[in-house]
Amino acid sequence: MPLVRIDFTAGRSPEAVRAIADAIHTAIVDVYGIPVRDRFQIVTEHPTQQIIAEDAGLGFERTEGVVMIQVFTQRGRTDEAKTTLYAAIHDALAAIGLASEDVFIGYVENGPQDWSFGFGRAQYVTGELGVPSLA
């Protein structure tokens, strides 16, 4: 059950925004085998100049079309699973026209005790929800 934050500069059509969110979700479903309706995304559009994504020493420049993606999920997946996910997200976004240099992904892991789905309870800890197995 990843929580995914998607940030980019405003100006895309509603259809393009949905296509980005759908592409990322589909990649996660395909790679991690989570249920399709296990979808938690926060999509935020920012005014121009409010996203700064400069070269990290890799020798390329991003455009104003950069999409910053943060994946918050349970710890325990292998480095191979994570890199497979990064490639799948990239490929899904490239398929809808996003430039390769404009796909930026940050991955944050945590444990079952770090989630509350409502009512002020940690449902994985209380047993109201089963801790998902990691694919």
Side-chain angles (χ1 to χ4, degrees):
M1 191 278 346
L3 168 62
V4 180
R5 292 190 57 100
I6 306 164
D7 293 87
F8 47 80
T9 303
R12 290 179 166 91
S13 70
E15 295 80 17
V17 170
R18 185 60 187 229
I20 290 169
D22 288 349
I24 294 167
H25 182 66
T26 298
I28 294 170
V29 168
D30 290 349
V31 173
Y32 283 174
I34 65 169
V36 172
R37 288 192 41 87
D38 198 353
R39 184 173 184 170
F40 297 90
Q41 294 178 311
I42 302 166
V43 179
T44 307
E45 294 180 279
H46 300 270
T48 303
Q49 307 301 324
Q50 285 194 358
I51 292 181
I52 301 168
E54 297 179 347
D55 180 19
L58 295 171
F60 62 86
E61 297 295 324
R62 293 178 179 86
T63 72
E64 287 188 5
V66 68
V67 175
M68 309 286 280
I69 304 157
Q70 297 175 313
V71 178
F72 300 88
T73 191
Q74 300 256 356
R75 66 178 152 262
R77 292 189 174 90
T78 66
D79 290 347
E80 181 181 358
K82 293 173 194 176
T83 57
T84 298
L85 178 64
Y86 304 154
I89 291 172
H90 164 269
D91 293 349
L93 292 173
I96 61 169
L98 200 66
S100 292
E101 64 272 16
D102 286 339
V103 179
F104 182 99
I105 304 169
Y107 195 97
V108 180
E109 296 181 311
N110 54 41
Q113 69 279 11
D114 298 318
W115 296 91
S116 173
F117 294 91
F119 303 100
R121 295 191 300 270
Q123 286 86 352
Y124 290 142
V125 175
T126 65
E128 295 169 80
L129 283 175
V131 176
S133 63
L134 301 176

